[in-house]
Amino acid sequence: MLGTTRGRTAERSKTGGWTSAAMILGGEACERLTTLGIAVNMVTYLTSTMHLGNATAANTVTNFLGTSFMLCLLGGFVADTFLGRYLTIAIFATVQATGVTVLTISTIIPSLRPPKCAIKNGAASCIQASGMQLTVLYIALYLTALGTGGLKSSVSGSLAAVTVLVYIQDNLGREWGYGICACAIVIGLVVFLSGTRRYRFKKLVDSSMLFDIDDIPAEGKKKKQSLPHSKQFCFLDKAAIKDPDVTNVNKWNLSTLTDVEEVKLVIRMLPIWATTILFWTVYAQMTTFSVSQATTMDRHLGSFQIPAASLTVFFVGSILLTVPVYDRIIVPITRKVFSNPQGLTPLQRMGVGLALSILAMVAAALCELKRLHVARSHGLGDDPTGEIPISVFLLVPQFFLVGAGEAFTYIGQLDFFLRECPKGMKTMSTGLFLSTLSLGFFFSSLLVSIVHKVTGDKKPWLADNLNQGKLYDFYWLLAILSALNFVIYLGCAKWYVYKDKRLAEEGIELEEQEFTCHA
């Protein structure tokens, strides 16, 4: 039943349609513009303005992004269970607007950021942000992350965020860039709320999905199972075995066979889930250390200087290029090779994405070796602020490869989890997908912390001055880990049997068993 917020039946002539969709998508576009506008250029703000080290700045960004994706699980749960999508979007957009506003204020008030570096005897002397200043910053970031978690992300606004907004932040000031972000999310919220009377609202819970005690069959009564019994993970079958001494049967002391089989489906997916996490760890480097590399290189196009974070435009561009190339070129070829109408299967898509992430880290390591060689040959090894005479476009391959990898991995993961999760657990399928992104960012933070601690201060891989560090070794480490992960993934993918094929095989086996018994 469709209804408005006041419970009245919706009039189709006055509700829904393209206008309502445009208002919703407009809000999503503003949310995406805001989140990316902050994330892609945050590492340069933390290092150049807040005077944090490269490792600390990278971890702050990846923790922010990881928390944003993890909180998407909370947003989905709240929307599906308590508030509904409309109120969830309205509330969390307000929270995000508050966070971005606090961030903007922190860039305006001088006491909320450390003083600029002083030059003494030719060397820069910088005071790191104080505990109070960092507290305000973290409050702003995590309010923004909480708001982001309750909103549905889309690709709308990505190009504007990594080009126009980044340029404004670097050239006109962070207060202008973040102020625009704050205005964008407020405008998005206003646009979304203005369409309230035109939206069609659905009830939170469908009564057909609620547990009904009548669904538990009586003794001797045949109950049709929606999923056939499988032999794998048979220890879980105990949950569906009825105790003859128990007369009061309910969902807390007895599961149906279908419930058990749904749990088995999820367990079968976990190895694939685990082996896709590392891709997003590689992805995280594009918003952290790759941006730090770009700040040290020649970014001029004639008289125009490209903002370091705007290099992610090649990342977004590679995604936009890869999707049509896949649809128009790769799919027709793979249809013939694999006899699959969809071209590559979801597992094959993810495999391609993981392979591209390995190549991206190899390219990143080689690029960093070249950058360091040029820096040291020009006597810039001890100068963290000097511009190295090497084009920033040397970084394009790593951005392009990770972007292409995301196009394969993201779509493959989404397709896989939606397709393979049980029909009654579609929210979990989205949660499993988003959790790989979140854990990938968190693992990046953990790995950076471990590497920074192990390599120490004398020969650090992740030095505050990149020209004195060994960032290439960190990239080699990621390449090796990604290669090992890829081998494990191939084994898991070979072991995995798609749900439709497995159910068909088990259904045939069940029919043969019944035929044998009747015969």
Side-chain angles (χ1 to χ4, degrees):
M1 176 68 70
L2 298 175
T4 66
T5 51
R6 297 181 181 179
R8 297 189 300 268
T9 302
E11 297 182 33
R12 292 188 177 275
S13 61
K14 297 181 180 180
T15 60
W18 287 107
T19 303
S20 299
M23 290 178 174
I24 296 172
L25 291 174
E28 290 189 350
C30 291
E31 181 277 326
R32 193 61 172 171
L33 181 72
T34 301
T35 303
L36 278 180
I38 293 172
V40 297
N41 206 22
M42 178 54 64
V43 71
T44 59
Y45 177 71
L46 295 174
T47 54
S48 62
T49 301
M50 305 302 283
H51 306 151
L52 300 182
N54 280 318
T56 304
N59 282 355
T60 300
V61 174
T62 49
N63 286 337
F64 163 67
L65 291 173
T67 303
S68 298
F69 285 112
M70 186 61 73
L71 288 173
C72 286
L73 301 179
L74 172 65
F77 175 75
V78 170
D80 289 345
T81 309
F82 298 107
L83 299 179
R85 295 177 182 175
Y86 172 82
L87 283 176
T88 300
I89 292 174
I91 292 172
F92 281 86
T94 302
V95 172
Q96 186 180 33
T98 302
V100 181
T101 301
V102 173
L103 181 62
T104 303
I105 293 173
S106 72
T107 64
I108 297 174
I109 301 177
S111 62
L112 294 180
R113 61 184 188 275
K116 293 183 178 180
C117 296
I119 305 299
K120 294 181 179 179
N121 300 323
S125 176
C126 303
I127 300 175
Q128 186 172 312
S130 66
M132 184 272 290
Q133 292 167 341
L134 290 176
T135 298
V136 173
L137 175 66
Y138 292 151
I139 289 174
L141 287 179
Y142 287 101
L143 279 175
T144 304
L146 178 60
T148 302
L151 303 176
K152 179 184 177 183
S153 295
S154 70
V155 295
S156 307
S158 298
L159 287 175
V162 301
T163 53
V164 178
L165 269 182
V166 168
Y167 179 81
I168 291 173
Q169 291 169 9
D170 284 357
N171 292 274
L172 297 182
R174 296 282 171 163
E175 63 274 17
W176 285 98
Y178 294 151
I180 291 174
C181 289
C183 292
I185 193 62
V186 171
I187 291 172
L189 176 60
V190 171
V191 170
F192 173 76
L193 294 177
S194 66
T196 300
R197 299 179 65 86
R198 299 188 59 87
Y199 300 146
R200 296 174 183 170
F201 297 85
K202 294 183 178 181
K203 293 181 179 180
L204 278 178
V205 180
D206 186 348
S207 59
S208 64
M209 297 179 66
L210 294 175
F211 181 84
D212 188 352
I213 195 66
D214 293 332
D215 291 336
I216 301 296
E219 286 291 331
K221 179 181 177 182
K222 184 178 180 181
K223 183 180 183 332
K224 182 180 179 181
Q225 300 293 339
S226 59
L227 288 174
H229 177 255
S230 61
K231 298 178 181 179
Q232 197 175 26
F233 307 121
C234 58
F235 63 91
L236 294 174
D237 294 343
K238 295 179 181 179
I241 298 176
K242 183 179 179 182
D243 187 344
D245 297 329
V246 177
T247 57
N248 184 22
V249 176
N250 58 57
K251 62 179 180 179
W252 301 110
N253 59 33
L254 180 66
S255 298
T256 66
L257 178 59
T258 297
D259 293 334
V260 173
E261 292 302 321
E262 286 181 342
V263 173
K264 290 182 180 181
L265 286 175
V266 175
I267 292 176
R268 292 186 185 100
M269 296 166 61
L270 291 181
I272 301 297
W273 168 85
T275 50
T276 55
I277 291 174
L278 196 59
F279 174 84
W280 300 105
T281 299
V282 170
Y283 173 97
Q285 312 316 312
M286 298 302 104
T287 57
T288 55
F289 291 116
S290 292
V291 175
S292 296
Q293 285 177 286
T295 60
T296 68
M297 303 169 75
D298 180 10
R299 294 178 275 119
H300 288 88
L301 274 178
S303 59
F304 176 75
Q305 187 176 46
I306 304 171
S310 287
L311 210 65
T312 51
V313 72
F314 293 101
F315 173 80
V316 177
S318 68
I319 298 174
L320 299 177
L321 178 62
T322 301
V323 173
V325 167
Y326 174 79
D327 289 336
R328 298 296 181 181
I329 299 176
I330 298 178
V331 169
I333 296 175
T334 52
R335 278 175 180 170
K336 297 178 181 179
V337 175
F338 299 109
S339 300
N340 181 12
Q342 295 181 340
L344 296 177
T345 65
L347 289 175
Q348 289 171 336
R349 281 191 177 192
M350 288 186 279
V352 172
L354 293 179
L356 288 173
S357 70
I358 301 172
L359 296 178
M361 289 298 95
V362 171
L366 295 176
C367 171
E368 176 62 8
L369 285 169
K370 176 67 174 177
R371 191 192 68 83
L372 281 179
H373 174 72
V374 174
R376 290 165 182 172
S377 63
H378 285 77
L380 297 173
D382 296 328
D383 185 2
T385 60
E387 181 182 285
I388 301 173
I390 185 173
S391 175
V392 75
F393 294 111
L394 187 67
L395 298 173
V396 169
Q398 61 203 62
F399 281 96
F400 190 88
L401 287 168
V402 173
E406 188 197 358
F408 281 97
T409 304
Y410 189 100
I411 297 173
Q413 278 187 300
L414 193 59
D415 189 13
F416 175 77
F417 289 120
L418 288 174
R419 170 178 169 176
E420 296 301 300
C421 261
K423 292 183 179 179
M425 303 172 72
K426 292 302 180 185
T427 300
M428 175 174 282
S429 67
T430 305
L432 285 171
F433 165 61
L434 292 174
S435 65
T436 62
L437 278 72
S438 177
L439 292 175
F441 284 110
F442 285 136
F443 182 71
S444 176
S445 297
L446 176 63
L447 192 63
V448 167
S449 297
I450 293 174
V451 167
H452 193 54
K453 187 173 183 63
V454 170
T455 58
D457 297 327
K458 294 183 178 180
K459 295 182 179 180
W461 286 9
L462 308 174
D464 294 341
N465 179 0
L466 285 183
N467 297 339
Q468 295 180 340
K470 297 180 178 180
L471 180 59
Y472 57 87
D473 278 337
F474 182 69
Y475 285 144
W476 284 126
L477 175 61
L478 280 173
I480 294 171
L481 291 176
S482 297
L484 293 174
N485 180 74
F486 182 65
V487 172
I488 297 172
Y489 172 83
L490 291 178
C492 295
K494 185 176 181 181
W495 168 81
Y496 190 85
V497 179
Y498 285 105
K499 181 175 68 174
D500 293 342
K501 183 179 179 180
R502 183 173 56 253
L503 293 180
E505 292 174 350
E506 291 170 351
I508 292 173
E509 182 180 349
L510 183 61
E511 290 178 1
E512 290 176 348
Q513 291 175 354
E514 291 179 350
F515 176 78
T516 303
C517 291
H518 288 302

